[in-house]
Amino acid sequence: MKKLSLAVLSFLLLLAGCGQADTEDAYNTAIQKGLDAIASENYVKAEAAFELALEDKKADDKAKAYLVQTKAMQVATDAYAKKDYKKTKKEVANVIREKQGSDALVQKATALQTKVSALEKQEQNLQTKWTAIEKAIQAKDYDAASTQVTALLQEDLSEFPAMKKQAEEAQTKIMTEKQALAKQQEEAQAAKEKQEAEQKTAEKEAPMDGADANVEAIAPTGDEIYQAGAALIYADMMAQGQSAGSFIIDENYQWQGEDMAATYAFQVYDAASPNPIATYWYFADTQEVQRQ
């Protein structure tokens, strides 16, 4: 009887050992499948594998850490696809923070974190350039706007399809408005040239007679007439041997406008007496003087 009991106990222990071995194998298999799924970035499959591992070992810290990481990474990649970079950064931080987790997941999360930071910086830079383009368009500086939008479209905008579409539409708008402005400028210039031509024709055809014509043609002021005539007379008097200060040029000149050339009479007096020395004619049109 005693021998029978020992045999039964040994059999039960053998069965228990086999059960534990099967559980360990199932756990290891599930963990490996999860890690393989992570390598191929199939996070849904990885999550399912780690949940199976926890069914075999409910209190296993490694499987728990892998599962937490995988769920966070799955949320991060979904947020990244939707360009929700704030949520992406939050979830990849959760992946990296897990101490007992997968190194492979940490590497992937770190790479995604770096990529998001670069994209945010690029987005900010693109927005700055777009603001400059809008200002140039508003100022009708179409040459500058065209250069800027062309440069913007030459950048890698694969992650910014909305910005690319916006820039392409702006490029079309700039071209259209630039052509319209050029046409307006051409029409304005043509109108100006026509007006100037008509004005010149009218001036040529306007009647001019007698003294009024001469006055309009020369239109000098009194000071200008005296200064111009007196300067020439002074030079001639000095050339005639008169010394400076020995004569006075009278300011009471008279206009003798009998013909088209305006002529002015100047009287020169001896500085020491009221006796006249000479009379000069000043021709305003040729700016010459003639002594009588």
Side-chain angles (χ1 to χ4, degrees):
M1 185 69 180
K2 185 177 181 180
K3 289 182 178 180
L4 180 61
S5 297
L6 288 173
V8 172
L9 180 60
S10 297
F11 178 72
L12 292 174
L13 289 172
L14 179 61
L15 288 177
C18 290
Q20 289 178 350
D22 290 342
T23 299
E24 187 68 25
D25 288 343
Y27 166 81
N28 289 332
T29 299
I31 290 293
Q32 188 57 51
K33 286 183 178 180
L35 293 175
D36 291 342
I38 287 173
S40 61
E41 298 184 356
N42 188 340
Y43 300 120
V44 174
K45 184 177 180 180
E47 181 181 345
F50 295 139
E51 285 177 345
L52 284 175
L54 282 172
E55 288 181 4
D56 294 320
K57 287 188 177 183
K58 299 185 183 299
D60 186 69
D61 290 336
K62 182 169 70 173
K64 287 180 180 179
Y66 285 177
L67 183 59
V68 169
Q69 278 185 309
T70 302
K71 287 182 176 180
M73 193 65 185
Q74 188 173 346
V75 174
T77 53
D78 289 344
Y80 175 79
K82 297 175 182 177
K83 301 191 183 303
D84 186 350
Y85 298 140
K86 183 178 180 180
K87 189 172 184 179
T88 302
K89 290 193 295 183
K90 177 184 176 182
E91 295 301 327
V92 294
N94 291 334
V95 176
I96 296 169
R97 190 182 301 116
E98 191 61 52
K99 300 299 182 183
Q100 299 184 47
S102 163
D103 290 339
L105 271 176
V106 170
Q107 291 177 359
K108 291 181 181 296
T110 302
L112 184 57
Q113 187 180 55
T114 301
K115 187 175 183 179
V116 167
S117 296
L119 286 173
E120 285 182 325
K121 185 176 181 180
Q122 184 184 4
E123 184 177 29
Q124 184 178 8
N125 183 43
L126 290 173
Q127 190 58 50
T128 299
K129 292 180 179 180
W130 176 249
T131 300
I133 291 170
E134 287 185 317
K135 288 183 178 179
I137 293 174
Q138 290 174 359
K140 299 187 183 301
D141 187 356
Y142 297 120
D143 289 336
S146 179
T147 300
Q148 291 169 351
V149 78
T150 299
L152 181 64
L153 286 170
Q154 289 175 347
E155 296 193 27
D156 182 9
L157 301 177
S158 57
E159 295 290 342
F160 305 96
M163 175 65 74
K164 182 179 180 181
K165 181 181 179 182
Q166 197 173 23
E168 289 173 342
E169 291 174 350
Q171 192 174 46
T172 302
K173 179 181 179 181
I174 290 167
M175 185 179 299
T176 302
E177 293 189 5
K178 184 177 180 180
Q179 291 174 347
L181 180 62
K183 184 177 180 181
Q184 290 176 0
Q185 291 174 339
E186 289 176 1
E187 291 175 350
Q189 182 63 26
K192 180 181 177 182
E193 291 175 356
K194 180 180 179 182
Q195 183 179 9
E196 290 176 349
E198 291 175 349
Q199 185 176 354
K200 288 181 179 179
T201 301
E203 289 174 354
K204 289 180 180 179
E205 294 177 352
M208 297 179 66
D209 58 341
D212 290 339
N214 289 330
V215 172
E216 184 177 350
I218 299 172
T221 65
D223 288 342
E224 289 173 343
I225 294 170
Y226 177 76
Q227 290 173 5
L232 294 173
I233 293 168
Y234 179 84
D236 188 70
M237 289 292 292
M238 294 295 290
Q240 296 292 332
Q242 294 289 335
S243 60
S246 66
F247 58 91
I248 298 173
I249 302 173
D250 188 9
E251 295 185 21
N252 296 319
Y253 53 86
Q254 296 180 350
W255 176 48
Q256 309 293 322
E258 295 297 334
D259 52 19
M260 292 299 292
T263 306
Y264 300 86
F266 285 79
Q267 194 72 43
V268 182
Y269 293 90
D270 188 344
S273 67
N275 298 324
I277 299 176
T279 299
Y280 279 88
W281 296 105
Y282 168 59
F283 304 97
D285 58 341
T286 60
Q287 294 188 353
E288 296 177 340
V289 293
Q290 181 179 341
R291 183 169 179 168
Q292 298 298 313

